[in-house]
Amino acid sequence: MNIGLLIAGGSGNRMGQDIPKQFMHVDGCPVIIHTLLCFQKHPDIESIAVVCLKGWETVLQSYANQFNVTKLKWIFPGGETGMQSIHNGIFGLKDAGCADDDLVLIHDSVRPLLSQDIISSNIATCKAYGYAITGIKCREAILESEDGFSSTTSIPRDTLIRTQTPQTFRLKDIVNAHEEARLKGITNSVASCTLLAELGGREMHIVPGSEKNIKITTVEDLEILKALMHTQKEDWLK
């Protein structure tokens, strides 16, 4: 089984709004529902789970019913950190009886423009190699700064990858990684890919992402999302 696991446990403080960013409406639909529909529409996704911010579970289920997200099977409680939320999600799936070899596509709930091709590539790459990390080659010149105001060091961009989600694993592999992290005292890794890097010994395979697969973090991101949703590719472009 292929399972979409959406992480929606954050309160979105950086957005500075009255409601969590995943529940803000764009074009008459909550951001999280736009994201859920990406998985709902994909023929190879059998089930969806959401790790939800405490107190918003009923709201989420109501929206899922309203927008006919029939693949939503489980809602798990969010954690204090992103890593803890992912932990709650994958162990929730394990406790729910999901199989060790089920593929879990871990995805930010606030990346609502995820393409069907990226989902397909994640599934195919994970089946072939065991791990799939969505990412884009870095185009910008990169400086290193300790204080955010000054720098004397640049980092070569040729080998740098900006990661996105989904990040896809067999359930047993990501569960084992979190168990190993607990034993080693790793409690707040930024993402699943950084957790695997910290643990070492696991070769992660990159799935090409998209600049449109943006993560909504700020009001500016919301404005970009609205623009992208109403933009179509010009016919003359190859």
Side-chain angles (χ1 to χ4, degrees), residues 152-176:
T152 59
T153 307
S154 66
I155 301 174
R157 66 185 177 185
D158 296 343
T159 60
L160 296 181
I161 298 292
R162 292 189 289 122
T163 63
Q164 301 179 333
T165 61
Q167 300 184 5
T168 304
F169 315 89
R170 290 186 174 88
L171 180 59
K172 63 181 178 182
D173 291 333
I174 191 62
V175 164
N176 288 341

Side-chain angles (χ1 to χ4, degrees), residues 231-238:
T231 299
Q232 292 184 342
K233 185 178 178 180
E234 295 285 349
D235 293 338
W236 58 270
L237 288 172
K238 296 180 180 179

Side-chain angles (χ1 to χ4, degrees), residues 94-130:
K94 179 181 178 182
D95 292 342
C98 295
D100 285 348
D101 285 337
D102 284 345
L103 300 192
V104 182
L105 290 80
I106 301 172
H107 187 64
D108 299 318
S109 67
V110 288
R111 289 187 187 269
L113 295 183
L114 173 65
S115 73
Q116 300 292 281
D117 286 344
I118 292 176
I119 294 176
S120 296
S121 295
N122 265 264
I123 292 170
T125 300
C126 189
K127 284 182 176 179
Y129 301 105

